[in-house]
Amino acid sequence: MEVAALVAWVLAAGAGGYLLVVWMLNGGRSTKVTRFPILVVVGHPLAAAGGLAIWIAYLVTGDAAFAWTAFAALLVVVLQGFMLFTRWLVGRGGRHARGAEQAFPAAAVAVHGAVAVTTVVLVFLTAIQVTRA
């Protein structure tokens, strides 16, 4: 389960990186209308990368504290991701939907979200399991 969480985390990062590249190639913050706050756009991948580093530390050491810290980082990532997702949904097709985020393929957003949810569940279950051991 630990390695599955790592694989899911890396896949989510890849899909998220793709979305970030699409956003930047379509103007990013330079578009006149965007619903994405820059602190969340920067904070979401940074918190995810930091959490991934902590998860790798858990895999190397087996220390439950690292597993729970990685899970806590994921909670921050989830809150930021949910903010980005809801703002993307609200803008889709609306009259103010002119931001760079409108270039996101819906399938890429769905894959990123689904793999991210899988990651959170696997990390949580692993943290519980390692704590009981």
Side-chain angles (χ1 to χ4, degrees), residues 15-88:
Y18 170 74
L19 292 171
L20 183 59
V21 167
V22 168
W23 186 74
M24 291 186 329
L25 289 176
N26 285 280
R29 290 291 294 178
S30 66
T31 57
K32 291 187 178 190
V33 178
T34 186
R35 296 181 177 277
F36 286 6
I38 193 66
L39 290 176
V40 179
V41 170
V42 172
H44 181 67
L46 287 178
L52 178 57
I54 295 166
W55 185 251
I56 291 170
Y58 159 71
L59 292 176
V60 170
T61 66
D63 186 349
F66 283 126
W68 284 110
T69 305
F71 178 70
L74 272 178
L75 293 180
V76 171
V77 174
V78 165
L79 289 173
Q80 292 172 328
F82 188 73
M83 178 187 293
L84 293 170
F85 178 67
T86 56
R87 287 174 179 239
W88 175 76

